[in-house]
């Protein structure tokens, strides 16, 4: 199964840093909690021990998922992005034809989406409608609020 996902170098480094923290800091904390709970006696009726073991299982699951994500991650070279059409990591300025409002968004992978920072997921309705379009094209987008029309004002990286 091909689970390759593209990241900026900064985002991939953040994932690696989180994995390192989980493996070196959080694992030690949970091991210490398990040892402390084990020292309190009968494990069959020890809620602290059960909670620590459950936390350990969840941590290991998260570590496993992060390792898989990192193993399948690829860095997208932003300098090679074609600015003649909208692609992932394009910075696009669009104008809503209905109200003449201009907006600027960066199209990013789902894991990097942050609407407040102007980063919209490549899988969002707006991004899907913009992908592949060029400057001065019009995009008709079916959104939950209805049909929207945008004119592409500018594309950069």
């Amino acid at each position: 199964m091909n689970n390759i996902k593209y990241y900026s170098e900064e985002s991939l480094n953040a994932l690696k840093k989180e994995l390192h923290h989980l493996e070196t800091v959080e694992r030690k904390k949970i091991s210490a909690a398990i040892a402390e709970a084990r020292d309190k006696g009968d494990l069959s009726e020890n809620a602290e021990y059960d909670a620590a073991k459950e936390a350990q299982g969840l941590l290991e699951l998260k570590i496993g998922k992060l390792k898989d994500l990192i193993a399948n991650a690829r860095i997208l070279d932003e300098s090679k992005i074609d600015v003649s059409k909208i692609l992932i990591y394009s910075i696009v300025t669009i104008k809503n034809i209905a109200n003449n409002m201009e907006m600027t968004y960066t199209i990013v992978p789902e894991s990097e989406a942050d609407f407040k920072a102007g980063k919209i997921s490549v899988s969002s309705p707006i991004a899907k409608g913009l992908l592949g379009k060029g400057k001065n094209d019009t995009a008709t987008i079916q959104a939950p609020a209805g049909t929207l029309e945008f004119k592409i004002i500018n594309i950069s990286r």
Side-chain angles (χ1 to χ4, degrees):
M1 193 159 116
N2 187 355
N3 288 329
I4 292 176
K5 294 197 178 193
Y6 291 91
Y7 294 89
S8 64
E9 189 169 358
E10 178 183 329
S11 295
L12 184 56
N13 286 337
L15 289 175
K16 288 177 180 178
K17 184 176 178 183
E18 180 183 359
L19 176 62
H20 180 73
H21 175 77
L22 292 176
E23 289 180 324
T24 58
V25 177
E26 297 302 320
R27 262 187 184 155
K28 286 180 184 175
K29 283 183 185 176
I30 289 180
S31 290
I34 290 171
E36 184 180 319
R38 192 180 302 125
D39 290 343
K40 291 185 178 176
D42 185 10
L43 297 181
S44 65
E45 295 179 14
N46 189 330
E48 260 183 72
Y49 179 78
D50 291 340
K53 288 298 282 181
E54 184 176 336
Q56 181 185 40
L58 293 173
L59 177 69
E60 292 304 322
L61 182 66
K62 188 171 184 178
I63 287 172
K65 284 182 178 181
L66 262 177
K67 282 183 174 183
D68 187 47
L69 202 64
I70 291 168
N72 291 306
R74 302 292 180 268
I75 294 176
L76 186 65
D77 186 351
E78 295 179 48
S79 68
K80 294 182 179 174
I81 294 175
D82 177 6
V83 293
S84 68
K85 60 184 174 186
I86 299 171
L87 303 167
I88 194 164
Y89 287 111
S90 290
I91 300 169
V92 66
T93 302
I94 56 176
K95 181 194 275 188
N96 185 325
I97 293 173
N99 63 15
N100 283 329
M101 193 170 137
E102 283 192 19
M103 298 151 279
T104 300
Y105 296 116
T106 303
I107 312 291
V108 297
E110 288 180 37
S111 61
E112 296 179 34
D114 180 358
F115 191 74
K116 289 181 182 176
K119 296 178 177 183
I120 61 172
S121 168
V122 70
S123 61
S124 70
I126 291 176
K128 282 182 179 178
L130 294 174
L131 288 173
K133 301 273 193 261
K135 189 173 177 179
N136 296 321
D137 284 353
T138 300
T140 303
I141 298 167
Q142 194 62 42
T147 302
L148 304 171
E149 280 195 301
F150 296 102
K151 179 173 177 137
I152 289 97
I153 304 299
N154 192 35
I155 305 167
S156 60
R157 62 169 172 83

